[in-house]
Amino acid sequence: MPATSHSTIVILDFGSQYTQVIARRIRECNVYSQILRFDTPAKEIKALNPKGIILSGGPSSVYSKNAPNPDPAIFSLGLPVLGICYGMQLMGHHLGGRVEHSERREYGSGILKVVETDCPLFKKLGRKLEIWNSHGDKLTKLPRGFRTVATTPNSEYAAIEDPKKRLYGLQFHPEVVHTPRGRELLENFVLRICGASGDWTMGSFIEQTCQEVRSQVGDDHVILGLSGGVDSSVAAALLHKAIGDQITCVFVNNGLLRAQEAEAVQRLFGDHFHIKLKYVDASRRFLSKLRGVTDPERKRKIIGTEFVRVFEDATRSLAKGRKSKFKFLAQGTLYPDVIESVAIAGNPAALIKSHHNVGGLPKNMRFKLVEPLRQLFKDEVRLVGAELGLPKEIVHRQPFPGPGLAVRILGEITRERLRILRDADAIVVQEMKDSDWYYKVWQSFAVLLPIRSVGVMGDERTYDHTIALRIVESQDGMTADWVRLPSELLARISSRIINEVKGVNRVCYDVSSKPPATIEWE
């Protein structure tokens, strides 16, 4: 992780499903947060010069054989420490307190009673708070130097502190939306107790990143695989601001794009932002490779492999006649791609994922990586894009799968089936935008099903294709629910698709949530 000149809060991850939520809540306070493994040595943490440490929750019990434990020296660094749920239990356990299995587990909403209103964690929050619990163990004896700050009906130690050492523990989760004033509580810890400066803004991020990129790249040149999506588009704009004509983008048309997408990307980046852009129309190549393929995984592998080959050809073509070759490859890697929560206690998941922005490049492409967005979450990337002047259509574009329309055509991919889906999808997007629903949902798209059914159009019977509509709301794509669109809007979308898209006589609406279903159909 690149160093940052801003105040930093370190979060040690003990396997909580909410670890990334904690990080995002801290950043909402305009303070940079960094997630590290639970067992990161205290010396390494100290070297980062953080303002404070947060211990996340987790599914383990402190007495379990393989329970994840921190370096005990973190409690002697002189830094403020906040333990959340399992993190609080660890703090109590390591400092001489006692943790026991609770006879009555606490899951869901509850009421917290603040008994020590002078505690800086609860400054201006009142005496009663609505909170969210999720724990089976609880602290039953305080370590030396600690006092009770708040209680719940099931726990006399729902919030604790050692004011001299600035150590704090919460048995509930302040980071989730079900604790309405949790962000204010975290803000009190980060700004009031830790003394963080609160200067982490997207403007300051852009300025610092541009300096880092110039230092890393020097006079060399960078190539980037542009997809037209949010991540690669913002990365391209940011790199162009940093190094100008030293960045060249390659945009591959795989024949699986949405209607008018190739033209829009070329117009925006080539004509408007004047970024060097090589457009490669490889649609025939891709469709030829996909002929007769119906298995979803085979489709993805073929598309990924072919993209690498096309990208290699484009890079060689661009390098011909140049005095200096491309030494750097830019990717739109985000922070969630870099860190991954501990899967289970005692068996931490790898912290570095394999990246997939350019389809998994082969080893013989010896580039150095430039990843200007690797410190950011998705919502922060959108803010950076807006700051750089990218249009709303790009910044707030809904997620679109790397394999494109291929994963929304169930069965064989043909030019005719692509035409049907592309026309139907264009109607969905247009109607969602015209009705002001497009930017209110996570995703809205059409799916072409591998079935045909009987219909009646005019005086003739038809035997045509079926389109399914998939419109979901979500925060991060991990879970999702189908959107209860107004019936008038659904009727208008259905009517237009059936009347305007030749070959379709039936439209269905997908009313399944994730889980158990997925957002995409393939």
Side-chain angles (χ1 to χ4, degrees):
M1 179 65 63
T4 173
S5 60
H6 303 280
S7 296
T8 299
I9 299 294
V10 163
I11 301 165
L12 297 184
D13 179 22
F14 293 90
S16 172
Q17 59 182 318
Y18 302 128
T19 299
Q20 291 192 28
V21 180
I22 299 172
R24 294 177 67 163
R25 293 293 173 264
I26 301 305
R27 294 189 182 193
E28 288 170 3
C29 301
N30 292 330
V31 175
Y32 181 68
S33 59
Q34 185 169 342
I35 299 172
L36 300 177
R37 267 183 65 120
F38 63 87
D39 55 358
T40 301
K43 287 184 179 179
E44 290 184 20
I45 295 173
K46 186 178 181 179
L48 295 172
N49 195 29
K51 289 291 186 178
I53 300 171
I54 294 178
L55 312 181
S56 83
S60 300
S61 169
V62 295
Y63 297 116
S64 297
K65 182 179 179 181
N66 295 319
N69 281 284
D71 180 349
I74 64 171
F75 300 113
S76 303
L77 291 175
L79 295 170
V81 180
L82 173 64
I84 296 175
C85 200
Y86 177 74
M88 170 188 172
Q89 295 161 16
L90 278 174
M91 183 186 295
H93 178 60
H94 279 276
L95 297 179
R98 185 168 61 243
V99 177
E100 296 179 4
H101 187 69
S102 177
E103 293 182 3
R104 182 182 165 201
R105 297 184 178 187
E106 284 189 299
Y107 292 103
S109 60
I111 298 297
L112 183 81
K113 182 181 179 182
V114 180
V115 296
E116 299 290 351
T117 56
D118 62 333
C119 175
L121 267 185
F122 294 93
K123 185 78 171 179
K124 297 182 179 180
L125 294 183
R127 286 187 172 274
K128 286 189 177 182
L129 276 75
E130 187 180 341
I131 60 170
W132 184 262
N133 294 296
S134 180
H135 63 92
D137 291 353
K138 68 176 183 178
L139 193 68
T140 58
K141 177 188 174 184
L142 288 179
R144 186 187 298 271
F146 279 80
R147 67 170 181 168
T148 298
V149 173
T151 64
T152 64
N154 191 41
S155 177
E156 58 181 310
Y157 306 127
I160 61 173
E161 72 164 342
D162 180 337
K164 289 184 179 180
K165 295 183 178 179
R166 295 186 297 169
L167 303 178
Y168 303 86
L170 302 173
Q171 189 61 78
F172 60 93
H173 290 274
E175 70 273 22
V176 300
V177 295
H178 307 293
T179 300
R181 305 195 69 181
R183 177 178 164 179
E184 295 171 70
L185 191 155
L186 290 172
E187 193 172 71
N188 279 338
F189 176 73
V190 170
L191 301 180
R192 192 179 300 274
I193 296 172
C194 297
S197 56
D199 59 355
W200 168 257
T201 65
M202 293 305 97
S204 65
F205 167 81
I206 290 171
E207 182 180 345
Q208 178 179 326
T209 302
C210 285
Q211 292 174 0
E212 291 172 354
V213 168
R214 293 184 195 114
S215 176
Q216 179 186 7
V217 172
D219 295 328
D220 291 318
H221 290 259
V222 181
I223 194 165
L224 180 148
L226 184 67
S227 69
V230 179
D231 303 340
S232 66
S233 296
V234 174
L238 182 55
L239 288 170
H240 186 253
K241 180 178 177 64
I243 57 175
D245 284 347
Q246 289 171 251
I247 173 75
T248 299
C249 295
V250 175
F251 177 56
V252 176
N253 182 349
N254 58 11
L256 305 167
L257 304 177
R258 289 178 166 183
Q260 305 302 313
E261 189 163 13
E263 295 81 2
V265 171
Q266 292 179 81
R267 186 167 56 250
L268 175 65
F269 288 92
D271 300 342
H272 181 68
F273 284 99
H274 305 294
I275 296 176
K276 288 182 180 178
L277 178 67
K278 180 176 179 61
Y279 171 68
V280 181
D281 185 355
S283 53
R284 288 188 179 181
R285 252 175 98 162
F286 279 86
L287 296 182
S288 175
K289 295 285 184 181
L290 290 167
R291 187 177 296 121
V293 178
T294 59
D295 180 72
E297 284 307 309
R298 258 199 86 201
K299 287 182 190 176
R300 290 177 182 273
K301 287 179 181 178
I302 289 170
I303 294 167
T305 300
E306 198 60 24
F307 179 88
V308 171
R309 291 171 179 165
V310 172
F311 192 84
E312 282 181 305
D313 292 345
T315 304
R316 281 193 290 266
S317 173
L318 285 167
K320 286 181 181 178
R322 292 175 58 96
K323 293 181 180 180
S324 59
K325 295 183 178 180
F326 296 101
K327 290 188 179 180
F328 291 89
L329 169 71
Q331 292 189 162
T333 308
L334 304 192
Y335 197 39
D337 297 323
V338 178
I339 53 99
E340 183 173 293
S341 293
V342 177
I344 57 174
N347 183 23
L351 296 185
I352 305 298
K353 292 182 179 180
S354 60
H355 304 309
H356 55 268
N357 300 61
V358 289
L361 294 174
K363 294 179 180 179
N364 61 354
M365 294 186 76
R366 300 184 183 278
F367 290 110
K368 297 178 181 178
L369 281 181
V370 179
E371 298 173 310
L373 307 179
R374 65 182 281 119
Q375 290 177 290
L376 302 183
F377 288 104
K378 190 78 169 190
D379 53 340
E380 293 171 324
V381 173
R382 297 186 193 278
L383 293 173
V384 169
E387 189 96 6
L388 291 169
L390 288 171
K392 184 178 182 181
E393 288 75 16
I394 291 290
V395 172
H396 293 285
R397 184 188 184 191
Q398 294 177 1
F400 188 61
L405 297 179
V407 298
R408 295 176 181 174
I409 293 179
L410 276 62
E412 184 180 4
I413 297 170
T414 65
R415 289 189 179 276
E416 173 61 9
R417 300 191 83 210
L418 275 166
R419 192 269 309 164
I420 291 172
L421 180 59
R422 194 173 281 124
D423 289 351
D425 186 76
I427 291 172
V428 174
V429 172
Q430 182 186 348
E431 288 296 336
M432 291 294 287
K433 287 183 176 179
D434 288 350
S435 61
D436 291 328
W437 272 92
Y438 182 85
Y439 298 110
K440 296 178 183 178
V441 304
W442 179 260
Q443 274 177 280
S444 51
F445 56 89
V447 179
L448 179 60
L449 303 185
I451 57 174
R452 302 174 81 173
S453 63
V454 174
V456 177
M457 303 186 82
D459 294 326
E460 297 181 1
R461 289 170 65 84
T462 60
Y463 189 64
D464 283 332
H465 296 88
T466 299
I467 289 287
L469 302 180
R470 184 65 162 149
I471 304 171
V472 299
E473 55 189 356
S474 176
Q475 293 296 317
D476 52 16
M478 299 302 291
T479 62
D481 192 18
W482 62 280
V483 177
R484 279 68 170 168
L485 282 185
S487 57
E488 297 82 3
L489 177 56
L490 281 174
R492 188 161 61 249
I493 293 173
S494 174
S495 177
R496 283 197 59 194
I497 290 175
I498 291 172
N499 282 287
E500 298 176 29
V501 180
K502 184 179 179 181
V504 176
N505 66 358
R506 194 177 299 272
V507 173
C508 303
Y509 192 44
D510 184 345
V511 294
S512 46
S513 61
K514 176 186 178 181
T518 54
I519 295 178
E520 298 287 348
W521 279 48
E522 282 197 348

